[in-house]
Amino acid sequence: MLRGRWIGMLLLCLLVAGVFAWLGQWQLERAIETDPPEPGITEKVQPLTDVLEPGAYLPEPLVGQRVETSGVWVPEDFIVVGSRFNDDVQGYWVTGQLRVAERTSIAVAIGWAPDRAAADAAVDELEADADGAEVTVTGRIISDEGPRVPPHAEPEQLDRMSPAALLSRWHDIEQLDVYRPYLASTTATAGLVDISSPAPEEMSPVNWLNVFYAVEWAIFAGFAFYLWYRLAKDAWEREVEEFEEAAAAETA
């Protein structure tokens, strides 16, 4: 191990282990949230514009944040979305396009209906009341569920709450800015049932996945030294074996 070759290998292993140790420290620094959100922050109603910008993705700490915004309903854009559960009961959501600024809209889940007939009746009532009067909506901001290809038998059916999918069916969308998440209204209207939307679980300040990665990097660093030791020992054992064979041959 004191030969120049193996000392050079040791220095190389030190370099590799140092890189692994730095990566482990980097992961560990990100495993503990030094400035976690205060408990109950999602239950404090904030203006929508203070929480999110149109077109921006919703950061994880803000999922379920209660917000408030004002706007006007866009006529003919009340759309029914299926496969919606309210306290484990399957039904429908009635959604609408809420124009919150001159060319800015957000998709709103207005309320829940137990069957399609009740949902369609609520759409008719909402259409009749969409007279351009400003309304204020309070609810939780929730991430887009992503679009889904509807069954061939019912090409107009929607069973995912996706602003992107709703946008393709909205009117007056030229040069329109749209929020990527949607707003689940706290209070239903038009005879609909309030959407069951409990507060999100409090996030732990420790990211255990990052802690696991940090431990992995520490193991890799230790393995670099073990690899150096194992290679050096194998070389030593090989030389001893060759020496013993040569000695046995001379004796013979």
Side-chain angles (χ1 to χ4, degrees), residues 103-217:
R103 299 304 301 168
T104 305
S105 290
I106 186 170
V108 179
I110 302 169
W112 180 86
D115 52 57
R116 184 59 189 256
D120 290 339
V123 168
D124 293 339
E125 183 175 340
L126 288 165
E127 289 287 359
D129 293 339
D131 54 2
E134 185 173 84
V135 296
T136 299
V137 179
T138 302
R140 295 191 187 277
I141 194 77
I142 303 176
S143 300
D144 184 343
E145 295 179 5
R148 179 181 178 183
V149 178
H152 291 295
E154 299 181 53
E156 296 300 318
Q157 176 181 315
L158 289 178
D159 58 5
R160 305 276 287 181
M161 187 56 189
S162 169
L166 294 173
L167 177 63
S168 66
R169 305 189 181 193
W170 284 351
H171 301 81
D172 188 24
I173 61 173
E174 186 176 353
Q175 302 296 320
L176 182 68
D177 289 329
V178 178
Y179 284 87
R180 287 182 180 272
Y182 67 91
L183 183 60
S185 178
T186 303
T187 305
T189 59
L192 296 168
V193 179
D194 293 346
I195 294 172
S196 177
S197 182
E201 295 182 1
E202 297 289 344
M203 294 179 58
S204 170
V206 179
N207 186 326
W208 292 106
L209 182 60
N210 277 12
V211 172
F212 173 75
Y213 288 151
V215 172
E216 275 193 333
W217 286 120

Side-chain angles (χ1 to χ4, degrees), residues 75-113:
E76 301 182 20
D77 284 347
F78 295 102
I79 299 172
V80 177
V81 177
S83 299
R84 301 290 95 186
F85 287 85
N86 228 38
D87 296 328
D88 299 327
V89 180
Q90 187 172 1
Y92 298 83
W93 277 359
V94 175
T95 70
Q97 178 191 171
L98 185 66
R99 188 65 54 87
V100 296
E102 184 177 354
R103 299 304 301 168
T104 305
S105 290
I106 186 170
V108 179
I110 302 169
W112 180 86

